[in-house]
Amino acid sequence: MSEAVVETRRPTLFALVRYFLGLGTFGFGGPIALSGAMRRDLVDARGWFTPGEYREGFALAQLAPGPMAAQLAMYLGWVHGGVPGSALVGFAFVLPSFAMVVALAVLYLRFGGLAWMSGVFLGIGAAVIAIIARGAWRLLSTSVAGDRLLWVVAGGSAVLTAWTEAESVWLFLSSGVLVLLVRAPPGRRAGASALAPWLVTGFGVPASLSTLASVFWYFALAGSFVFGSGLAIVPFLHGGVVNEHHWLTERQFLDAVAVGMATPGPVVITVAFIGYLVAGPLGAVAAAAGVFLPCWLFTVIPAPHFHRLAKNVRVKAFVDGVTAAATGAIVGAAVVLGRRALVDAVTVAVALVALAVLVKLKRVPEPAVVVAAGLVGWAARAA
């Protein structure tokens, strides 16, 4: 009965898009907080979606690659308006944080050399290490839990990431195949260069079209291996952006991650900051489009068949293995980035205090911790 009542209260597509514009503008706290806000606002308060529709979207967002909150938003858009509804809702959810990050990238390029700004980012970088460490622990406790096989996969991924200071798609894929073979072995039955220069200029000279294509392709590949938390993209990006392509330095990469965490909306929007630094405004667009396109495709393509896919033992085993490897890589990335970010007594103290606040005072939002750490870094540099 209640399901039928909810069905009669469908919003207009304009109202749904307007809601996600607001959530993308003011929604802080990461994927769990954003997903919880959607449940509270769209199911409990407004009755725009049934509890069953929300549960299906939440399950798909966990099962398929893509940043969880953005994928859940896209699924709800699909439920209401099909493929066009999914695209409009996803665009509305991402647009505000994209605009904020690009604006911060402009300021970063213009004023990044000033002592006060470098001090701010020094403090923020230390807080980011605490946030990554806490996020990694929470992911381990939820996605790996008491499963010994997944602990082995996550531990191996963490060690390899910290040791090699690089991440590989093949590590994630092989981890998924390993868990699949153990849990569901074969035989077991189972359910343009002519563009205006300012459009493609980040650091240094204008970027070429081939660089723009590389930015898009690299971030599309990265977006295909983000499972659950947006933090999962951090270790993957670190290996490619810093070590492979040499687009950013360690310090600049950490600053980019900090910007993504300090702004509302999905954490993976940090890719727009990176894209802007590499290739200007079009670089930001290429990076954001690349990382969110797989997320959208992995929503609208399996959505009509989700009931069957969700019950497939082999699909679930593969996803569990990839998720465990990605979670372990986050731990390894925290070690790698921590070696660069915690450079003195001040940054170590900031990281420890930030971690204590996040663990003990659970109601303190992460952006508030990031801002406070930036002020401490500014004060320490000015002293």
Side-chain angles (χ1 to χ4, degrees):
M1 182 69 178
S2 60
E3 298 279 326
V5 172
V6 172
E7 191 70 27
T8 63
R9 298 173 60 188
R10 286 286 195 222
T12 64
L13 186 57
F14 175 78
L16 192 62
V17 168
R18 184 175 59 189
Y19 167 80
F20 278 103
L21 271 173
L23 185 63
T25 303
F26 302 105
F28 286 97
I32 299 301
L34 292 171
S35 300
M38 293 180 214
R39 168 71 191 232
R40 181 192 65 231
D41 297 337
L42 301 180
V43 178
D44 299 335
R46 292 173 171 83
W48 288 354
F49 297 91
T50 67
E53 289 168 340
Y54 176 87
R55 286 194 299 269
E56 289 177 4
F58 190 76
L60 176 60
Q62 290 182 309
L63 182 64
M68 188 173 74
Q71 198 155 30
L72 176 57
M74 292 173 184
Y75 181 84
L76 295 176
W78 176 83
V79 168
H80 179 70
V83 173
S86 176
L88 287 173
V89 164
F91 182 77
F93 184 47
V94 171
L95 180 62
S97 55
F98 173 83
M100 294 178 203
V101 166
V102 169
L104 288 172
V106 172
L107 295 174
Y108 183 84
L109 283 181
R110 181 167 179 79
F111 301 111
L114 297 181
W116 70 268
M117 179 163 276
S118 62
V120 167
F121 276 100
L122 199 66
I124 288 177
V128 166
I129 299 303
I131 293 173
I132 293 176
R134 180 212 185 204
W137 175 251
R138 292 174 66 181
L139 286 171
L140 285 171
S141 62
T142 55
S143 63
V144 178
D147 192 306
R148 293 183 179 180
L149 174 61
L150 296 184
W151 272 107
V152 170
V153 171
S157 177
V159 171
L160 284 174
T161 300
W163 181 34
T164 63
E165 299 188 1
E167 298 74 32
S168 170
V169 172
W170 299 111
L171 173 63
F172 295 165
L173 291 176
S174 60
S175 297
V177 171
L178 172 63
V179 176
L180 185 156
L181 292 176
V182 172
R183 290 186 176 176
R188 174 177 171 179
R189 301 183 65 181
S193 59
L195 295 170
W198 68 271
L199 284 175
V200 290
T201 301
F203 291 122
V205 298
S208 64
L209 289 179
S210 63
T211 299
L212 278 176
S214 296
V215 168
F216 175 83
W217 174 248
Y218 177 76
F219 286 108
L221 185 63
S224 301
F225 289 90
V226 181
F227 281 81
S229 170
L231 286 176
I233 204 172
V234 172
F236 189 92
L237 292 184
H238 178 264
V241 170
V242 177
N243 297 334
E244 181 182 348
H245 294 289
H246 305 290
W247 285 333
L248 301 183
T249 65
E250 294 278 359
R251 180 74 256 167
Q252 291 160 351
F253 177 79
L254 196 60
D255 292 346
V257 175
V259 167
M261 291 183 173
T263 52
V267 173
V268 294
I269 200 61
T270 192
V271 303
F273 188 91
I274 296 173
Y276 189 95
L277 298 188
V278 175
L282 287 187
V285 172
V291 84
F292 284 105
L293 179 60
C295 170
W296 182 69
L297 292 176
F298 282 121
T299 299
V300 298
I301 293 175
H305 316 287
F306 177 65
H307 286 295
R308 179 171 54 85
L309 289 173
K311 297 177 182 178
N312 188 293
V313 176
R314 291 189 173 90
V315 171
K316 189 176 186 306
F318 178 80
V319 169
D320 284 347
V322 173
T323 302
T327 303
I330 294 174
V331 177
V335 174
V336 174
L337 294 174
R339 289 199 290 259
R340 275 75 170 181
L342 309 182
V343 295
D344 53 26
V346 173
T347 52
V348 171
V350 168
L352 292 176
V353 171
L355 183 59
V357 169
L358 291 168
V359 172
K360 297 296 183 181
L361 305 177
K362 294 181 172 56
R363 293 189 177 183
V364 177
E366 290 178 358
V369 174
V370 169
V371 170
L375 292 175
V376 172
W378 168 77
R381 181 58 64 90

